Amino acid sequence: MVQYSSTLDSAFTAVADPTRRGILERLGRREATITELAEAFDMTLTGLKKHVHVLETAGLVRTEKVGRVRTCRLGNRRLADESAWIANYHAMLDARLDSLGSFLERTKGDER
Amino acid sequence: MVQYSSTLDSAFTAVADPTRRGILERLGRREATITELAEAFDMTLTGLKKHVHVLETAGLVRTEKVGRVRTCRLGNRRLADESAWIANYHAMLDARLDSLGSFLERTKGDER
């Protein structure tokens, strides 16, 4: 399993906040300017920009400034590594339950 | 999609750190004491305890103190909601790509 990956760190950190998850869902429907996002989430421009910066660092959002307007779009990262890490974790938990099950079966056999 | 869930917040925060992911993987193999984990991750007891506390708050680890020894085991949460959130996000991205594809197809038709 990938333990020491800085991309996992930044992506999980990015989606650990409800406003940032909301921004991703909002941008999934349509691109938006910083001002539009700030209004949608009832935040100051400064507060909103901080969230966008975290998402941008994680590769989940990209922004483009034309004149005084910065437009945000979804980035190229799809959280595939994060999904894979959780799937591996599930597989490990299942293997552990299976081995516990086998142990209990064997113990039951011994009691007969 | 579940946007404002504090369980998503705490679980994604918990797995956003490489040491905490390492602790989960280690506990997936076998339960361990705080001292054993601190040695395995080359950390102070205080530092290690902070990480375990974050994992415990997220429901991913449970601990039990007998005498002076605190033993850590995996908790009951399986990151199922987190996995579902990422899957929903993928579905949204796919729908967006499909609609972009249809748009390009229609545009190509117009050019003929």
Side-chain angles (χ1 to χ4, degrees):
Chain A
M1 290 178 78
V2 184
Q3 276 190 34
Y4 297 97
S5 154
S6 62
T7 61
L8 284 179
D9 294 3
S10 63
F12 278 137
T13 299
V15 298
D17 181 275
T19 301
R20 290 198 291 268
R21 290 196 298 276
I23 291 172
L24 290 178
E25 292 164 13
R26 169 71 183 71
L27 295 179
R29 294 196 291 276
R30 196 176 308 117
E31 64 181 41
T33 66
I34 294 281
T35 308
E36 285 168 343
L37 290 175
E39 281 169 10
F41 292 93
D42 198 19
M43 293 188 78
T44 61
L45 288 176
T46 311
L48 200 283
K49 274 179 194 165
K50 281 183 192 166
H51 283 309
V52 167
H53 180 69
V54 175
L55 290 165
E56 207 171 5
T57 305
L60 297 171
V61 161
R62 59 199 166 89
T63 71
E64 188 190 14
K65 195 167 187 176
V66 177
R68 296 182 63 175
V69 178
R70 184 174 291 277
T71 303
C72 307
R73 293 176 183 86
L74 289 183
N76 289 326
R77 292 206 62 219
R78 286 176 57 90
L79 297 174
D81 294 343
E82 293 66 30
S83 187
W85 188 86
I86 295 178
N88 278 332
Y89 185 65
H90 286 171
M92 186 192 69
L93 292 179
D94 288 342
R96 203 158 145 271
L97 283 178
D98 283 352
S99 90
L100 182 64
S102 308
F103 171 75
L104 291 176
E105 275 302 310
R106 281 200 309 277
T107 314
K108 213 163 66 181
D110 291 346
E111 280 172 2
R112 271 175 210 147
Chain B
M1 289 177 77
V2 184
Q3 274 188 37
Y4 297 98
S5 155
S6 62
T7 62
L8 285 179
D9 295 2
S10 63
F12 279 137
T13 299
V15 298
D17 181 275
T19 301
R20 291 197 291 267
R21 291 196 297 277
I23 291 172
L24 290 177
E25 292 164 13
R26 170 70 182 71
L27 295 179
R29 293 196 292 278
R30 195 176 308 118
E31 63 181 41
T33 65
I34 294 280
T35 308
E36 285 168 343
L37 290 175
E39 281 169 9
F41 291 94
D42 199 16
M43 294 188 79
T44 61
L45 288 174
T46 311
L48 199 283
K49 275 179 193 166
K50 281 183 190 163
H51 282 308
V52 167
H53 180 69
V54 175
L55 290 165
E56 209 171 3
T57 305
L60 297 171
V61 162
R62 57 198 166 93
T63 71
E64 188 190 13
K65 196 168 184 176
V66 177
R68 297 182 62 174
V69 178
R70 184 174 291 279
T71 303
C72 307
R73 294 177 182 85
L74 289 183
N76 289 326
R77 291 206 63 219
R78 285 176 59 88
L79 297 173
D81 294 344
E82 294 65 31
S83 187
W85 188 86
I86 294 178
N88 278 332
Y89 185 67
H90 285 171
M92 185 193 70
L93 291 178
D94 288 342
R96 202 158 149 271
L97 282 178
D98 282 352
S99 90
L100 182 65
S102 309
F103 171 77
L104 291 175
E105 274 302 311
R106 282 200 309 276
T107 315
K108 213 163 65 180
D110 293 345
E111 280 172 359
R112 271 173 211 148

